[in-house]
Amino acid sequence: MSIKYAILGLLHYKEMHGYKIKKRIEANFGHMWSVNFGQIYPSLKQLLEENMVTMKEVRIDGEKGPDRKLYSITETGKDEFARWLAASPEREMLMRDPFIMRFVFFGFGDRERSIELIEDRIALYEAQLSERRENYEKWRNHDIYVRLVSELGIRLNELFLEWLKEARAEILEDQGQVEGGAVRAAIMS
Amino acid sequence: MSIKYAILGLLHYKEMHGYKIKKRIEANFGHMWSVNFGQIYPSLKQLLEENMVTMKEVRIDGEKGPDRKLYSITETGKDEFARWLAASPEREMLMRDPFIMRFVFFGFGDRERSIELIEDRIALYEAQLSERRENYEKWRNHDIYVRLVSELGIRLNELFLEWLKEARAEILEDQGQVEGGAVRAAIMS
DNA sequence: TCTACCATGTAATCTGTTACATGATTGC
DNA sequence: GCAATCATGTAACAGATTACATGGTAGA
C-alpha cells in the first residue's frame, strides 16, 4: 500500500493530523493520486500499530473542531521509508480514463454527442490547468523534486488539451462516419 | 464496471472468446488499461446473466486447447452500450504511478540511487515507446478514434521520456541536496 | 438557516490482483 | 524436456470508493 509510504514521506516534513495529510496529498499529487478518509484513518491506525508513527492527542482551545491527533514519524518509520524509497517501484503506472475508454468506441455512437463530450473534457482540463499553474507558483520554491512533479502535472495537462483539440478538429473533418460502424467492423476483423 | 462496457464495445466488431477479448483490450489499451482473467471471465458470466451477450460453445477440431466459448452481443447489449457511450464519464481519470510517488520524496534519499531509478524508468519507457510505435502502424488504418487514442499513447510516452531526461539533468546540476532533508523541512513547513 | 469546511472514524461494497487448478500445443 | 502461449475458470486477498455517523465553526 503506497498510501502508507506517502504518509511517512509527508511526516518527514513535520507532524500532522489525518485531515491535513489528506489535503497535503491532494495538493502535492492533485489529479494524480487521490485519497479517501476511508483509507487514511485506517492507514494511520496501522502505522501506529507497526510503530512507524507516534500519536499525541491535542486540544487546541482557540481552534474549532474535535481534538486533533498529531502523528509524528519514528526512527523505525524513517528506516522503513528509506528502504522503500531506494527499492524499485513495485508496479507499473496505472492510468485509467473512463473518457478514453469511451473515446475509442465513439465510432459506434453519435458524432454530435461525441463532440459534446470532447468539449466537456476540454473545459474540465482547462480549469484543471489553471489550478495547476496556480499551485506551481506555490511549489516552485520548494525542493527540486516537488517542483519537477508539479511541472510534469502541468505538461500532462497541456498535452491532453492539445490532443483533445486536435481530435475534435480531425473528427469534424472526417467524412468516414457511417451509421452502425459497418465499415469499421469490416476493417477491424 | 467499465470492463463490461469494453467487452460490449469489442463485441460490436465480431464475436469473440474470453482469452481473445483480453488480448484485444491489451492491444487497444496497452499500458493504459490492463485486465486480468479474474475479471474477464466473471464479467462475461454476468453479461450473459443480464442478457447483454449470448454464448455458443464451439469445438474447433484442428485447433488446440479446450472448447471455445464464443460470445456475441445482443440487441439489449447494444442498447445498453449506446446508453453508456452517450453518458458523461462516471469518474475522473485515475493515474497512479508508484514511481512518481517515490520521486516526490527523493530529497530524503540518496541522490545516486535516485538517478539509478530514473535511468531504469528511462529504459522502460524507451522500450514501451518503440512497442507503441510498432503498434501504431497496425492501428493507423483503423477507425479515426482508435488511431487517435494510439497517438495519445505515443505522445504521453514521449512526454514522460522527455521529462525524465530533463529531470535527470537538473538533479545532476542541483547542488541543493543536504543530508536528511533538513533544509527542505524548513522551507516546506 | 443552510452550505461549506474542519475533523474523526466505521462499514459495506465494489474493483482489481494474485495465486491456484487444469490441460493442450508449439517451438527451442 | 521445458518454457511459452492458448484456453477456461475459481478463490483469496488487497485496495479503493461510497455511504454513513458525529459534531463543531464560519460565512452568506
Side-chain angles (χ1 to χ4, degrees):
Chain A
M1 221 207 294
S2 308
I3 298 126
K4 281 210 222 169
Y5 293 101
I7 293 173
L8 290 178
L10 287 175
L11 291 180
H12 274 73
Y13 294 113
K14 59 166 173 174
E15 52 177 19
M16 264 183 254
H17 59 275
Y19 193 89
K20 190 76 167 277
I21 289 169
K22 184 182 183 278
K23 293 280 137 182
R24 250 320 154 81
I25 291 176
E26 274 163 8
N28 275 20
F29 299 101
H31 315 299
M32 288 179 108
W33 205 302
S34 64
V35 246
N36 305 295
F37 290 119
Q39 289 170 271
I40 166 107
Y41 290 115
S43 294
L44 282 167
K45 205 175 166 187
Q46 267 178 266
L47 286 168
L48 203 59
E49 281 161 17
E50 292 162 351
N51 299 310
M52 303 287 190
V53 297
T54 53
M55 185 266 284
K56 66 165 184 267
E57 229 157 323
V58 281
R59 169 80 286 201
I60 293 150
D61 302 288
E63 302 244 322
K64 63 252 169 166
D67 286 8
R68 285 180 197 171
K69 296 189 169 175
L70 279 177
Y71 292 90
S72 311
I73 191 161
T74 62
E75 284 307 311
T76 316
K78 279 186 184 173
D79 289 349
E80 175 55 18
F81 181 80
R83 193 206 53 73
W84 171 82
L85 194 64
S88 300
E90 322 80 47
R91 54 175 83 182
E92 289 296 290
M93 191 205 310
L94 192 134
M95 178 170 149
R96 301 211 154 158
D97 191 343
F99 173 76
I100 297 294
M101 175 64 100
R102 268 181 183 71
F103 188 98
V104 87
F105 294 119
F106 274 174
F108 295 118
D110 174 59
R111 185 152 78 177
E112 309 301 307
R113 182 62 187 139
S114 301
I115 296 288
E116 263 175 46
L117 289 172
I118 290 167
E119 274 162 3
D120 288 353
R121 280 275 122 169
I122 290 173
L124 191 129
Y125 282 131
E126 248 149 20
Q128 242 174 50
L129 184 56
S130 20
E131 218 185 292
R132 278 182 156 150
R133 283 185 173 142
E134 273 172 50
N135 268 315
Y136 181 67
E137 294 309 312
K138 282 193 281 176
W139 299 120
R140 66 177 305 155
N141 297 319
H142 293 307
D143 103 26
I144 185 172
Y145 303 98
V146 173
R147 203 199 74 225
L148 281 165
V149 169
S150 190
E151 276 171 22
L152 175 64
I154 290 171
R155 287 214 235 164
L156 281 169
N157 213 142
E158 286 167 346
L159 173 61
F160 272 101
L161 267 175
E162 255 175 62
W163 179 80
L164 283 167
K165 286 174 182 173
E166 282 173 35
R168 177 178 56 185
E170 274 197 57
I171 293 160
L172 286 169
E173 278 168 35
D174 181 48
Q175 294 306 309
Q177 174 105 351
V178 176
E179 64 295 341
V183 167
R184 239 150 289 104
I187 304 170
M188 194 91 178
S189 61
Chain B
M1 220 207 297
S2 308
I3 297 127
K4 280 209 218 171
Y5 293 101
I7 293 173
L8 290 178
L10 287 175
L11 291 179
H12 274 73
Y13 294 113
K14 60 166 171 175
E15 51 177 21
M16 262 183 257
H17 58 274
Y19 192 89
K20 190 75 166 275
I21 289 168
K22 183 181 183 278
K23 293 280 136 179
R24 253 315 156 83
I25 291 176
E26 275 163 8
N28 276 22
F29 299 99
H31 314 299
M32 289 182 107
W33 206 303
S34 64
V35 244
N36 305 296
F37 290 119
Q39 290 171 271
I40 163 105
Y41 290 115
S43 294
L44 281 168
K45 205 174 164 185
Q46 268 177 265
L47 285 168
L48 203 60
E49 280 161 19
E50 292 162 351
N51 299 311
M52 304 286 190
V53 298
T54 53
M55 186 267 285
K56 64 165 186 268
E57 228 155 324
V58 281
R59 169 80 285 202
I60 293 150
D61 303 288
E63 302 244 322
K64 64 250 167 168
D67 285 10
R68 286 182 197 171
K69 296 190 169 176
L70 278 176
Y71 292 89
S72 311
I73 190 162
T74 62
E75 284 309 308
T76 316
K78 279 187 185 171
D79 289 350
E80 173 56 17
F81 181 81
R83 192 205 54 71
W84 171 82
L85 194 64
S88 300
E90 322 80 45
R91 55 176 82 183
E92 289 297 289
M93 191 203 312
L94 192 134
M95 179 170 146
R96 302 212 154 159
D97 191 343
F99 173 76
I100 297 295
M101 175 64 99
R102 269 182 182 68
F103 189 97
V104 88
F105 295 119
F106 273 174
F108 295 117
D110 174 59
R111 185 152 79 178
E112 310 301 306
R113 182 62 186 140
S114 302
I115 295 289
E116 262 176 47
L117 289 172
I118 291 167
E119 274 162 3
D120 288 353
R121 280 276 123 167
I122 290 174
L124 192 129
Y125 282 130
E126 247 148 21
Q128 242 175 48
L129 184 56
S130 20
E131 218 185 291
R132 278 183 157 148
R133 283 185 173 143
E134 272 171 51
N135 268 316
Y136 181 68
E137 294 309 312
K138 282 194 279 175
W139 298 121
R140 65 178 305 155
N141 296 317
H142 293 307
D143 101 25
I144 186 172
Y145 303 97
V146 173
R147 202 198 75 226
L148 282 165
V149 170
S150 190
E151 276 170 22
L152 175 64
I154 290 171
R155 287 214 235 163
L156 281 169
N157 213 141
E158 287 167 345
L159 173 61
F160 272 101
L161 266 175
E162 255 175 63
W163 178 80
L164 283 167
K165 285 173 183 174
E166 282 173 35
R168 179 179 54 185
E170 276 197 57
I171 294 160
L172 287 170
E173 277 168 38
D174 180 49
Q175 294 307 307
Q177 173 104 354
V178 177
E179 63 296 339
V183 168
R184 238 150 290 104
I187 304 170
M188 192 90 176
S189 60

